[in-house]
Amino acid sequence: MKILLAGGAGYIGSHTAVQLANAGHEVVIADNYYNSSPEAVNRIQELTGKEIPSYDVDVKDKAKVDQIMKEHKIDCVIHFAGLKAVGESVQKPIEYYRNNIDTTLTLLECMKENDVHAFVFSSSATVYGEENPAPYTETMTRGRCSNPYGWTKSMMEQILEDASKADPELSVVLLRYFNPIGAHESGRIGEDPQGIPNNLMPYIAQTAIGRREKLTIFGNDYPTPDGTCRRDYIHVMDLADGHVKAVEYACENKGTEIINLGTGTPYSVLEIVHAFEKSNGIKVNFEFGPRREGDLPEFWAESEKAEKLLGWTAKRNLEDMCRDTWNWQTKNPKGYNA
Ligand code: WQD
């Protein structure tokens, strides 16, 4: 199959590109490199030994997206081209709504005009909101999000559901990611956050390598076993494998499916720090600080639906996630542009 990856040079997109190409699919990348690097595309080609057509385009640019779809006979689109920083979305809500919603609408319009009928969407566990108890199951209704980033994901899910209801030809798979960490085992591609990382694992890795002085653990008075928040961390290569299955499913079925991609097992922040230290034989300086606004004490996935529908389960464990993160960090101490 031929798959267009909107935002395919980013963290999850690049790993998915490798696994799709390894599974025998053809990959086309469209990315404006706003939060990613063209070097990621070079490395995808190096890892797969395949030429990957890539376009420096803003996915809101309908004429250009249309041209790509006309040039390649696309079977399925995966939409990774979203702005994703929770804190920034509070400061710049209009940019977040404009970018995330507009890219989705543009892709849907171009798909209709070019007879492309399968759409796989990068959604997030954040759409379960604040009310639903863990573990999160796909049958729960979407909840209230605590920030504009989360609302864009929730709104995009609604748009895609409505589009597939109205068009019996359109197949939509909404993949709700939990907390992706880790990197390709080669250390050639990985997460390359710009500036100070917002997320836990890149912050740990940059602290361990000496780019940050110490990690602040946001709160140790939560109602959890050790007082720190618990999340469902998933290896980005497992997530990538989940996309391969989702694309194949979307191309063979119609309607909308919501699917969690998580392991079903939560770990606390302290457990992650200690696992990183143990797996890599290195100390991570940390201190406890106040809670971060908007953080929930704990959530994790009910992961049975992915297994039943896609035949997918996460295979890599926490040690793999910690080892592969450190391998990427030590081989690319300043990311792609060092
Ligand atoms: C994990 C845990 C923090 C940094 C967010 C979005 C989600 C998804 C992934 C992205 C929490 C703690 C973190 C630090 C810490 N979106 N932490 N010190 O908040 O679960 O999910 O990112 O694209 O939609 O909401 O992930 O990695 O930021 O935090 O103690 O310096 O680590 O409090 O408990 P989160 P995270």
Side-chain angles (χ1 to χ4, degrees), residues 208-280:
I209 209 158
R211 267 177 84 181
R212 313 275 155 212
E213 197 198 328
K214 67 168 78 126
L215 167 77
T216 301
I217 295 182
F218 299 139
N220 62 344
D221 58 351
Y222 282 99
T224 58
D226 64 19
T228 67
C229 294
R230 297 200 300 168
R231 296 286 182 272
D232 185 337
Y233 295 92
I234 172 168
H235 197 297
V236 68
M237 291 298 287
D238 279 328
L239 202 66
D241 290 337
H243 286 74
V244 176
K245 301 276 192 185
V247 162
E248 291 164 356
Y249 181 88
C251 290
E252 285 158 16
N253 293 277
K254 299 291 162 218
T256 301
E257 286 295 347
I258 297 174
I259 302 175
N260 286 341
L261 292 182
T263 64
T265 305
Y267 289 106
S268 73
V269 178
L270 267 178
E271 284 174 315
I272 296 291
V273 170
H274 294 321
F276 190 92
E277 292 182 325
K278 187 161 174 250
S279 305
N280 299 312

Side-chain angles (χ1 to χ4, degrees), residues 85-199:
V86 172
E88 187 185 58
S89 78
V90 178
Q91 308 304 319
K92 300 178 178 173
I94 298 166
E95 271 180 64
Y96 270 66
Y97 286 111
R98 166 66 77 192
N99 182 81
N100 290 2
I101 309 278
D102 209 347
T103 48
T104 307
L105 295 172
T106 303
L107 287 168
L108 282 169
E109 285 172 351
C110 292
M111 286 169 66
K112 209 173 177 74
E113 279 160 33
N114 291 282
D115 285 322
V116 183
H117 303 297
F119 195 118
V120 173
F121 180 58
S122 274
S123 193
S124 167
T126 197
V127 303
Y128 287 105
E130 295 161 6
E131 307 87 345
N132 285 309
Y136 292 159
T137 63
E138 292 90 343
T139 50
M140 290 170 168
T141 51
R142 284 188 286 269
R144 286 193 56 76
C145 298
S146 60
N147 58 76
Y149 157 78
W151 280 118
T152 67
K153 292 286 177 193
S154 185
M155 289 175 189
M156 290 185 282
E157 284 200 355
Q158 186 68 50
I159 290 168
L160 287 160
E161 275 180 9
D162 290 342
S164 88
K165 251 185 231 155
D167 177 0
E169 285 292 300
L170 182 63
S171 167
V172 167
V173 177
L174 306 174
L175 295 178
R176 292 182 177 164
Y177 310 155
F178 282 69
N179 287 58
I181 58 174
H184 189 272
E185 49 273 16
S186 65
R188 296 295 288 159
I189 55 172
E191 187 172 14
D192 182 18
Q194 308 300 303
I196 301 171
N198 297 305
N199 298 114

